[in-house]
Amino acid sequence: MTQPVLTVNNLQVTYFTEAGRVRALDGVNLTLNPGEKLGLVGESGSGKSTMALAMMRMIKPPGRIEGGSVVVDGVDLTKLNDEEMREARLSRISYIPQGAMNSLNPVMRIGAQMRDAIKAHKLAPDADDIEKRINAALVSVDLKPTVAKMYPHELSGGMKQRVCIAIGILLHPKLIIADEPTSALDVVTQRQVMQTLDSVQKQLGAAIILIGHDMGLMAQFVDKVAVMYTGRLMELSTVQDMFTNPQHPYAVALIKSLPNLNQRGVFHGIPGLAPALLRLPPGCSFHPRCPIAQDICKAQVPPLEAKTPTRFVACHLVEKIKNEK
Amino acid sequence: MAPLIELRNVSKVYSKGLIARASTVALDNLSLSLDADKPTIMTVAGESGSGKTTLAMLLLGFIEPSSGQIYYQGKDITKLSPVERTQFRKEVQAVFQDPFAVFNPFYPVDHLLSVPIDKFKLADSKAKARNLMEEALNGVGLRAEDVLGRFPHQLSGGQRQRINVARALLLKPKLIVADEPVSMVDASLRATILESLRKLNKEYGISIIYITHDLTTAFHVANSIVVLYRGGVMEAGDIETVIKSPQHPYTRLLIDSIPWPDLDRRWGGDQMPIKEIEGALMGTGCKFASRCPFVMEKCKNLPAHFRLNQHQTASCFLHDQHPMLDVEKLTEVLPM
Ligand SMILES: Nc1ncnc2c1ncn2[C@@H]1O[C@H](COP(=O)(O)OP(=O)(O)O)[C@@H](O)[C@H]1O
Ligand SMILES: Nc1ncnc2c1ncn2[C@@H]1O[C@H](COP(=O)(O)OP(=O)(O)O)[C@@H](O)[C@H]1O
Ligand SMILES: [Mg+2]
Ligand SMILES: [Mg+2]
């Protein structure tokens, strides 16, 4: 059997806010094989970025990782010292933050920003090698090497986003996390950026976690989907299973809410609202909105359990759903 | 038909700095109208920079056309009397993209609803004002007790956007101009907002101009569509016809690029090569020529609108065997 490139075990993150402790990540478990593409979906505020930041060990106060482990390519990142962690970033695991394209330094040439990213590394290659890597990275995201001499404002949104991808792959990571890389872009540009990400992933053989809330993008891009709700994973399955036979009632509602070309003007919004993390209901956090909730759902948090070897669901009633079908 | 609102040969040119050369034609000779008696939902679609927001600002009277006129119930909106102006401001409402921007973070969300009630003197007592708010909130599927008294940051983007729609509804408008109302809202929360827009049209008889770059939502909400590119109309017609059988290469590009949430409908296959917009517009021919995979010699000239069928027109020489349609008559192909 292949060794997973990523194993996340019981990861927990809390933000200590004035209003109280916010459990933004409540015991998340996940594994990913080399070269696999995972979609992490959920409403905004469900903890997707927190999950990415925790894996990168980039959670800042008032947040804190309270427990769990993140093993990438055999190395437990939570056990590394700060220096070792800095080395791991970009070379083992790299993160393309939400809104990255808008945080490129406006007064610095693209090449210089890429150089900076590498130089933050102790194991930084020599100057010649750095230039070669910058060139290669730009070419692999379909940009001309001359882009290195340009400033961010000379580039379109799609080009800036591809620069961010190029920075992410400079040191050939085993795992790339892209946090809503196309949320601010038009459809045409979005497709181009996603194609770039796809070809980069193939070139490097890296695994990818694509964070987002657009199920359409997931259908087109990923192999597996993880559905997040209030800092917990509700379901993790193959993209095929997720779209054709979702199990968790929240996943079911999510799939049902998707626009369908055959039913113009028919909308299936998800009734009710996601609860505030500060005031999570007891038991399953989805139970107040769940059409089939029962007493047990109000009392006990359902664990994420393997229902088949490739299918994990956090719901007390899932077996029952299957039987009724 | 008596038009509710009508654009006649409207253009908007922005000039940057003092150099006349650096000017952008944001909207190029657009003629369109909405029938007062048949409230409809019309989509205006296009990538960013195509002139959608410029059109919204013009319709709302926030900016004036560089040439051409806009009439509201037969009156040029740049020449309204103070009384007519107040009426126009009340009857033509806007919902904007950013569900955060319009809220004042220091007031509960009630504020957003009470300000227009005061401004247009819609209620003479607190109880009546409260009733109006409740009615408007119910109209968009929210319960007053869930949202009134809460602060903006305590609500999701989707809820805030629905309150924006409720605010527009409060004034019993005849027209709502919604500029990308769901593009900053989570995909899973969009359905409820779009549903309320449709309800406003069906149940309250409000006409809606739905501006978007997302053709999937347009498909579900609108009756007709106008596809803009660099300020010009590329294709227009019945929404179902245009989305299911797009004829202009630009519309095809937009539709090919939609990531459908459908495993059987993959990106790729017979897709068109994609190029991003780059540089300024050159020459006077077809605005899409520099990106078009089918570009021909004659595209150096500006293509007319060719009428493909009763409810579809494309401004593209690939269709020049069809009869021409005057730009002034674009509305004829749009179903109500
Ligand atoms: N710096 C912070 N301080 C306090 N709370 C935070 C902070 N960052 C995130 N949170 C809270 O953690 C939750 C998850 O946020 P986030 O991970 O950004 O979600 P997503 O990326 O899914 O939108 C949210 O409820 C948010 O309010
Ligand atoms: N106030 C302005 N000054 C100068 N140019 C503008 C202004 N507003 C918009 N433009 C230009 O007009 C064109 C159309 O913009 P806009 O109407 O915002 O398009 P959209 O809403 O479709 O993205 C763009 O090229 C934009 O740069
Ligand atoms: Mg996020
Ligand atoms: Mg706009």
Side-chain angles (χ1 to χ4, degrees), chain A residues 9-209:
Chain A
N9 206 338
N10 197 25
L11 195 56
Q12 301 181 28
V13 174
T14 301
Y15 291 101
F16 295 85
T17 70
E18 279 174 29
R21 294 171 54 147
V22 174
R23 288 192 142 239
L25 222 53
D26 193 7
V28 171
N29 297 299
L30 195 66
T31 58
L32 202 59
N33 290 324
E36 249 179 350
K37 294 184 278 190
L38 172 87
L40 181 60
V41 300
E43 296 176 20
S44 54
S46 60
K48 305 181 298 296
S49 296
T50 298
M51 168 93 181
L53 292 168
M55 288 162 60
M56 296 294 291
R57 283 195 28 205
M58 284 162 61
I59 296 282
K60 301 248 160 65
R64 200 167 76 205
I65 300 178
E66 301 238 89
S69 63
V70 178
V71 180
V72 176
D73 202 19
V75 174
D76 185 349
L77 302 184
T78 55
K79 301 253 155 53
L80 300 181
N81 65 31
D82 288 352
E83 181 70 12
E84 290 163 336
M85 187 60 218
R86 200 160 43 241
E87 292 307 322
R89 287 188 201 117
L90 227 53
S91 63
R92 278 181 196 280
I93 176 170
S94 88
Y95 176 54
I96 303 164
Q98 192 167 357
M101 58 184 251
N102 299 319
S103 20
L104 289 170
N105 186 338
V107 297
M108 209 170 159
R109 291 180 203 274
I110 299 299
Q113 304 195 40
M114 296 180 79
R115 231 166 278 131
D116 272 8
I118 301 188
K119 281 187 180 154
H121 263 256
K122 190 179 69 193
L123 305 176
D126 63 54
D128 258 9
D129 194 25
I130 290 181
E131 293 314 308
K132 275 196 202 121
R133 276 177 188 271
I134 290 175
N135 270 355
L138 286 172
V139 169
S140 54
V141 298
D142 239 341
L143 291 171
K144 297 194 186 92
T146 49
V147 166
K149 299 204 178 64
M150 296 167 86
Y151 290 95
H153 72 88
E154 297 175 86
L155 306 176
S156 70
M159 291 166 87
K160 277 190 274 191
Q161 190 55 273
R162 281 183 281 150
V163 165
C164 294
I165 297 173
I167 294 175
I169 59 166
L170 278 168
L171 298 181
H172 297 187
K174 296 281 192 306
L175 173 64
I176 302 168
I177 307 171
D179 196 349
E180 308 210 13
T182 62
S183 287
L185 301 172
D186 282 329
V187 277
V188 178
T189 316
Q190 161 168 286
R191 189 174 90 188
Q192 208 169 28
V193 168
M194 293 313 295
Q195 281 171 348
T196 302
L197 208 50
D198 196 48
S199 86
V200 158
Q201 186 264 345
K202 290 205 174 79
Q203 289 168 39
L204 299 182
I208 287 201
I209 297 180

Side-chain angles (χ1 to χ4, degrees), chain B residues 83 132 321:
Chain B
V83 175
L132 282 177
Q321 72 277 23

Side-chain angles (χ1 to χ4, degrees), chain B residues 14 16 24 26 47-54:
Chain B
Y14 294 107
K16 287 195 189 107
T24 309
E47 287 169 282
S48 59
S50 56
K52 304 183 299 294
T53 297
T54 300

